[in-house]
Amino acid sequence: MVPPLRRGGPRLWGRGAGPAPWPRPRPQPPLPPHPPCQQGSPWPDPPALPTPSSPATPPMPPWPRPQTTLSPAERCRWPTWKWGAAGTGRPWCCSTGSSAAAATSRRRPRRWCGAAAARQVLTLDARNHGGSPHSPLMTYEAMSLDVQHLLARLGIAKCILLGHSMGGKTAMTLALQRPDLVERLISVDISPVSTTPVSEFSAYISAMKAVKIPDGLPRSAARQLADDQLRPVVQLPQLRQFLLTNLVEVEGRYVWRVNLEAISHHLADIMNFPVFHKPYPGPALFLGGSNSPYISSKDYPEIQRLFPKADVQYIEGAGHIVHQDKFEEFITAVLNFLPPP
């Protein structure tokens, strides 16, 4: 399992094309004020999200084009986010906690955006990942609230939500908590059950913590040294390269961008899944890799209980990082699940 590493968080896609303004979202009351802080400092727990306003509330202005850069105070309150393809229509909130799926859109933005038929895509960095602030708290309830607050901040009343691994569990949590916010759900290679028995992630965290890199090394040399130190524990080259995307240089020193302390402290929460009794009523796609153990037949009863309209599919030859192993097949499966633009 590679749940939390690299940049990740939800992603938004909207349908349609052309320069027409974004449809007016359902009005929502403003969120409570939030104290300013600097990026990288502890992220305070978000306040409870207000329920949607009544229809009598005055309509909001047309959808504003969001900025791709947030102020330090906004970074403290909101996950780091970035817009993809231009377009109009229902937004897509792709939640990728391990952000592998988000990374796909960054690596191949034109292909992804073209394939998405001009849907608007927003990729987010989950707390303790990428450019988002660090927080000592890392549960699916907290990460779901992060997404809910961002949707409210952007005036998005409903979205299509996609998440990979840890991001998939975050997406499922949000859909089960607030089904009114999620039009459709796509969970990539993860199911709503405990993944502890098949996970080697604790060993990966320990190996990352043990990496030692001298100051002042060139980036290529630093990555090669880290790769050599990870190899005894992380034997798959693709997985090591995935983890090494978190290695960044800060003032001449190489550090891990992810908050390994918070992740290791909440590893049990990340590997488990919250208890829910009321199912999500909308369409759901569980898209797994045929070579991955994270969606298995023993998970089907729980998937059916919580997501009665779920469709389970596998991409032949793909491992856990489905979109990296079989990019074209992944995109095709996602597009086939989307409603018409």
Side-chain angles (χ1 to χ4, degrees), residues 273-288:
F273 188 72
V275 176
F276 291 98
H277 300 288
K278 188 175 180 180
Y280 167 68
L285 172 64
F286 286 77
L287 187 59

Side-chain angles (χ1 to χ4, degrees), residues 35-55:
C37 68
Q38 297 298 319
Q39 184 177 8
S41 61
W43 196 351
D45 296 337
L49 189 71
T51 56
S53 305
S54 66

Side-chain angles (χ1 to χ4, degrees), residues 189 288-294 314-320 325-326:
D189 208 56
S290 65
N291 298 337
S292 172
Y294 292 106
Y314 294 89
I315 294 182
E316 189 64 30
H320 181 55
D325 296 343
K326 296 290 182 178

Side-chain angles (χ1 to χ4, degrees), residues 9-339:
R11 184 187 289 174
L12 280 167
W13 292 335
R15 292 179 294 191
W22 196 279
R24 292 172 182 257
R26 179 173 16 174
Q28 300 215 4
L31 292 172
H34 191 282
C37 68
Q38 297 298 319
Q39 184 177 8
S41 61
W43 196 351
D45 296 337
L49 189 71
T51 56
S53 305
S54 66
T57 305
M60 295 181 68
W63 173 264
R65 181 72 175 181
Q67 301 297 314
T68 56
T69 303
L70 300 180
S71 68
E74 287 176 312
R75 285 196 187 102
C76 175
R77 182 170 180 176
W78 313 112
T80 297
W81 50 283
K82 182 177 181 180
W83 284 98
T88 59
R90 179 61 50 80
W92 266 70
C93 186
C94 300
S95 167
T96 57
S98 61
S99 88
T104 300
S105 110
R106 289 186 177 95
R107 285 198 306 270
R108 312 187 197 192
R110 293 183 181 176
R111 276 181 84 189
W112 175 264
C113 296
R119 286 179 169 87
Q120 192 69 267
V121 181
L122 177 62
T123 61
L124 307 181
D125 291 342
R127 60 169 60 196
N128 296 318
H129 293 74
S132 287
H134 286 184
S135 167
L137 178 64
M138 194 165 182
T139 63
Y140 288 115
E141 293 87 348
M143 289 186 281
S144 171
L145 273 178
D146 294 340
V147 181
Q148 293 179 46
H149 276 79
L150 184 64
L151 292 175
R153 164 70 171 78
L154 298 177
I156 296 172
K158 201 156 193 170
C159 66
I160 300 172
L161 191 62
L162 181 151
H164 167 257
S165 198
M166 187 190 79
K169 287 190 173 183
T170 301
M172 286 186 276
T173 300
L174 193 155
L176 291 164
Q177 287 180 330
R178 292 291 306 275
D180 57 300
L181 295 177
V182 182
E183 178 183 345
R184 292 185 178 223
L185 171 71
I186 304 174
S187 179
V188 182
D189 208 56
I190 203 70
S191 58
V193 300
S194 172
T195 52
T196 303
V198 294
S199 176
E200 300 170 324
F201 193 62
S202 179
Y204 300 158
I205 292 179
S206 298
M208 293 173 72
K209 286 183 175 180
V211 168
K212 304 296 181 184
I213 301 176
D215 296 349
L217 278 185
R219 179 173 176 80
S220 58
R223 286 179 62 91
Q224 184 58 55
L225 182 59
D227 184 74
D228 294 339
Q229 295 180 47
L230 290 174
R231 185 176 293 110
V233 177
V234 187
Q235 298 177 358
L236 288 176
Q238 303 94 320
L239 182 52
R240 288 200 306 275
Q241 293 305 309
F242 181 78
L243 299 180
L244 286 171
T245 58
N246 293 279
L247 188 66
V248 294
E249 184 180 6
V250 179
E251 298 179 351
R253 298 179 59 249
Y254 286 91
V255 297
W256 295 108
R257 177 167 48 195
V258 290
N259 187 350
L260 291 176
E261 291 300 327
I263 293 171
S264 59
H265 181 73
H266 284 279
L267 195 57
D269 295 310
I270 294 170
M271 296 303 163
N272 290 317
F273 188 72
V275 176
F276 291 98
H277 300 288
K278 188 175 180 180
Y280 167 68
L285 172 64
F286 286 77
L287 187 59
S290 65
N291 298 337
S292 172
Y294 292 106
I295 301 179
S296 68
S297 57
K298 69 179 186 299
D299 303 334
Y300 293 171
E302 187 66 0
I303 292 175
Q304 180 64 28
R305 182 180 75 85
L306 292 176
F307 303 94
K309 294 184 180 179
D311 180 21
V312 180
Q313 299 178 20
Y314 294 89
I315 294 182
E316 189 64 30
H320 181 55
I321 312 177
V322 181
H323 46 278
Q324 175 177 297
D325 296 343
K326 296 290 182 178
F327 179 80
E328 299 294 344
E329 293 85 345
F330 170 78
I331 293 297
T332 299
V334 169
L335 292 179
N336 287 340
F337 179 71
L338 300 189

